[in-house]
Amino acid sequence: SIPTQEYVQHAPIAGRVEQVFVQPGQYVQPGQTLLSLSSPELQQLGAQLLQEKTQIEAEVTAKKAELDGDVSQAQTQRDLSETTYKRELQLFEERIGSQKSMQQAKAELELALNRLTVAKQKRQAALNALRTRLSINVDSLRQRLRQLGVSDVNIAKMLSNRNGITSVPVRTVRGGLVTELTASAGQSIEPANPLVKVSNLTTLWATANIYESDMSKVRLGQPISVRIGALLRQSPMVCPTPYP
């Protein structure tokens, strides 16, 4: 076969082969699952993702309750100051109250409004910071799980059910014939270990030795026939351009 048409699948992570779903000589399609792996690192990443999400969400809930209390207090003070100002304004307009009392009530209302605005901004900023932290931490772990072959559906299911991920499918990028299979169920593997070789055999190379006396009979692009004893058939081929 042509080396550039061969694809060797390695383990994406150290672990143990759980199941093998293909056999030598089997044709596979791009994206087809070749085998499944279990890995302590995979389980650790899943547990870390659950822990990070749970912990930061708890912080968001606690911080929101705390800051909601501050906003509620500022809101109450503003309502009280607004009521006081309206009363003093009415008394002033009716020439019962003094201008000084009315202006003082107005200043206290403006201060209360400012405190309410600051409390709301503080709450929003604190919650945004926590949510950003949650997004960064969770997205980083999500991306690592995706790189290992865990689908978004399985990640979402894990977060919903709060159950860790124990195995990951290993899929082929290219389609073709399984020409080598070195993985077996229960085998411990490292990322450097080749597991499956998938070859595209639609086009093959044939190497032939030609006697010097026959060189004059060979031309570039000349059709030739190759007889393969094991297949007992002829396959038309085209003489390739020689290497420089």
Side-chain angles (χ1 to χ4, degrees), residues 38-58:
S38 62
S39 168
E41 182 180 348
L42 180 67
Q43 296 171 11
Q44 181 180 355
L45 282 171
Q48 186 179 352
L49 175 56
L50 284 171
Q51 181 180 358
E52 288 279 350
K53 187 173 183 295
T54 301
Q55 178 180 337
I56 299 177
E57 283 179 344

Side-chain angles (χ1 to χ4, degrees), residues 8-22:
V8 179
Q9 176 65 57
H10 291 76
I13 192 172
R16 185 179 300 276
V17 178
E18 283 193 334
Q19 290 180 281
V20 179
F21 302 111
V22 296

